[in-house]
Amino acid sequence: MTPHQLQFLFVGLAAILVLSRLLGAAARRLGQPPVVGEILAGILVGPSLLNGAIADFLFPADIRPLLAALANLGLVLFMFVIGYELDLALMRGKGKVAASVSLCSVALPFALGGLLALHLSERHESVSHTGFVLFMGAAMSVTAFPVLARILSDSGLGRTRIGGIALASAAFDDIVAWSMLAVVVTVSGGGDQWSMLLAPVYLAVMFFLVKPGLRLLFDERRSGGRITSDRLIVVLGGLMLSCWAAEWLGVHFVFGAFLFGVVMPRQTSELVRVQVVDRFEHLSRLLLLPAFFVVAGLKVDLSGTGLQGLGELGLILLVAISGKFIGAFVGARANGVPALQSGVLATLMNTRGLTEIVILTIGLQLGVLDPALYSLMVVMALVTTAMAGPLLHLFKRRAGSTEAIGDYGDSAGDPPAGEDRRVASASSPRR
């Protein structure tokens, strides 16, 4: 690395910190999760504005691979935290309603996304027609669990029945969405087909060797409820090896990070869990993920979007919003949830945020998406995330209070309002 590259890398990182902080704070003042402003910051420094002059000045071509490396490290830590905070215990007491909402809010947008892909495939190149159809279905089906948790916390819905159902549904959505994306990677030729045969061995090692080992490592009688540097190093080393194994198998390193988070022990004290998550998340949230937004934004070019592109964007937004909203609404109403609360659930399930950006980035890297369609899909992720706040405000005004839109009378398959209204640590203010 030359002194010139080092100088521009430091200047670029400083610019990333300032831009993400300023636009994140602006988004928060407007009632939006900070991730909305951070995504917008990434788009604004890209080629869409001033023909890329800002990007060329702050991030010359020779330092972009270095930024990409930092962005990938941020993705690893982010996906680890997502896996670690994926708590299936959220389904307890809400299984019937949450499963219905989740399945309907995945099935309908997946089907509509596949149909849209068939329409768009003639105008957008892809390495695999089948992979493109499956990818569009998966991209339309995702709900951003971290952004949803942040919205619930900020809106006061976190400890309501609707908040619990939304979190449980989003947790199930995450599992389905990442599973579908793994299929897309395989279909699109993301890796050596022979190495993919070892995927069951990798899963067996993770669940039958790594998981018990981590449980022993974090046993409270040994750890005393505290996290030492040695234990964190073991976790970091295991995380990197899991990412290497997933990448070698050809299923993308983010799956290795996510799976390592999933196998982390959950029987430990809440103090241990909070310490691990906070220490991993601080660096990722403050620097590495903003770097990822910039790297993703540098690939978004809306400057050449004409009438045809605007028409495609309209179709993408129509499919994304209607598929999620109608699917979740029907799933909730089928289980006796009142119309108002069903609308709140549908609004919450429509948030996509950073999770969608991660999926779109993988699609672009695989060649499933071309740059033009990638740009339009990023705009969709931004719009669907930003619209949740204003819609929830409208529901609140109509109902009169947060409690009125968050709770409702007993219904079949749902516990009384006083039971199990705990929201796991995932509803703390994160992305």
Side-chain angles (χ1 to χ4, degrees):
M1 184 182 296
T2 66
H4 177 269
Q5 288 175 313
L6 273 175
Q7 293 168 23
F8 272 97
L9 178 62
F10 293 140
V11 170
L13 290 176
I16 288 172
L17 289 171
V18 173
L19 285 172
S20 63
R21 198 67 177 176
L22 288 177
L23 291 182
R28 189 182 292 110
R29 290 182 66 87
L30 294 173
Q32 297 288 343
V35 69
V36 170
E38 292 166 356
I39 293 174
L40 185 60
I43 295 175
L44 291 179
V45 300
S48 300
L49 190 65
L50 300 178
N51 201 29
I54 298 176
D56 292 338
F57 175 73
L58 293 175
F59 313 109
D62 56 349
I63 72 161
R64 293 184 187 184
L66 305 176
L67 289 178
L70 290 175
N72 285 334
L73 182 57
L75 275 189
V76 167
L77 298 180
F78 171 74
M79 291 304 301
F80 167 79
V81 171
I82 293 299
Y84 195 12
E85 292 191 332
L86 184 62
D87 191 356
L88 295 182
L90 292 171
M91 298 289 288
R92 192 177 299 123
K94 314 177 188 74
K96 183 180 178 182
V97 180
S100 177
V101 171
S102 182
L103 288 174
C104 291
S105 67
V106 167
L108 183 58
F110 185 86
L112 293 177
L115 291 174
L116 177 63
L118 294 175
H119 172 71
L120 296 176
S121 61
E122 296 180 358
R123 294 188 293 275
H124 295 278
E125 294 184 1
S126 177
V127 295
S128 168
H129 180 74
T130 302
F132 178 61
V133 172
L134 293 176
F135 179 86
M136 288 295 290
M140 293 297 180
S141 304
V142 69
T143 294
F145 185 89
V147 176
L148 175 59
R150 177 61 188 255
I151 291 173
L152 289 173
S153 177
D154 289 347
S155 64
L157 290 170
R159 295 187 178 275
T160 65
R161 176 182 293 184
I162 289 298
I165 293 172
L167 275 178
S169 302
F172 190 74
D173 266 22
D174 264 4
I175 296 173
V176 175
W178 290 111
S179 299
M180 290 190 297
L181 189 60
V183 173
V184 172
V185 173
T186 304
V187 170
S188 302
D192 187 348
Q193 298 301 314
W194 288 106
S195 64
M196 285 296 296
L197 295 176
L198 294 176
V201 177
Y202 167 62
L203 293 174
V205 169
M206 293 298 291
F207 281 99
F208 297 111
L209 291 180
V210 176
K211 186 174 183 178
L214 289 171
R215 188 182 297 121
L216 184 64
L217 178 69
F218 288 101
D219 185 86
E220 289 191 37
R221 290 170 295 182
R222 295 171 176 266
S223 66
R226 305 297 300 177
I227 297 299
T228 64
S229 298
D230 291 340
R231 288 186 173 88
L232 279 178
I233 288 173
V234 171
V235 173
L236 274 172
L239 174 59
M240 298 304 149
L241 287 175
S242 180
C243 292
W244 164 79
E247 189 70 20
W248 182 81
L249 289 171
V251 291
H252 208 278
F253 64 84
V254 298
F255 295 101
F258 179 74
L259 185 59
F260 197 83
V262 168
V263 301
M264 284 288 289
R266 286 159 175 76
Q267 293 78 19
T268 56
S269 69
E270 187 63 25
L271 177 61
V272 169
R273 190 169 179 174
V274 168
Q275 287 179 88
V276 173
V277 170
D278 283 352
R279 294 186 186 190
F280 277 71
E281 191 178 48
H282 280 160
L283 177 61
S284 176
R285 184 179 70 245
L286 293 176
L287 177 62
L288 299 179
L289 281 179
F292 169 73
F293 289 127
V294 167
V295 171
L298 290 174
K299 301 169 185 174
V300 175
D301 187 0
L302 300 171
S303 59
T305 304
L307 289 178
Q308 178 176 299
L310 291 175
E312 291 180 349
L313 177 60
L315 279 176
I316 290 170
L317 288 172
L318 178 63
V319 168
I321 296 169
S322 63
K324 269 291 181 183
F325 196 94
I326 295 173
F329 186 87
V330 170
R333 290 293 289 151
N335 284 273
V337 179
L340 181 66
Q341 283 76 15
S342 295
V344 172
L345 266 176
T347 299
L348 292 169
M349 296 301 291
N350 193 42
T351 57
R352 288 177 171 84
L354 176 55
T355 306
E356 181 77 12
I357 304 296
V358 172
I359 289 177
L360 296 178
T361 300
I362 294 174
L364 184 63
Q365 291 173 351
L366 292 174
V368 177
L369 288 183
D370 65 12
L373 189 54
Y374 166 82
S375 300
L376 298 179
M377 293 290 285
V378 169
V379 174
M380 178 272 290
L382 184 64
V383 171
T384 54
T385 305
M387 66 188 293
L391 284 177
L392 287 177
H393 182 68
L394 290 176
F395 281 119
K396 182 178 178 180
R397 286 186 60 183
R398 181 177 176 183
S401 67
T402 299
E403 291 74 16
I405 65 172
D407 285 316
Y408 58 95
D410 293 344
S411 61
D414 210 21
E419 294 183 13
D420 196 23
R421 290 169 62 179
R422 177 187 62 83
V423 176
S425 61
S427 62
S428 59
R430 307 193 192 284
R431 292 180 188 277

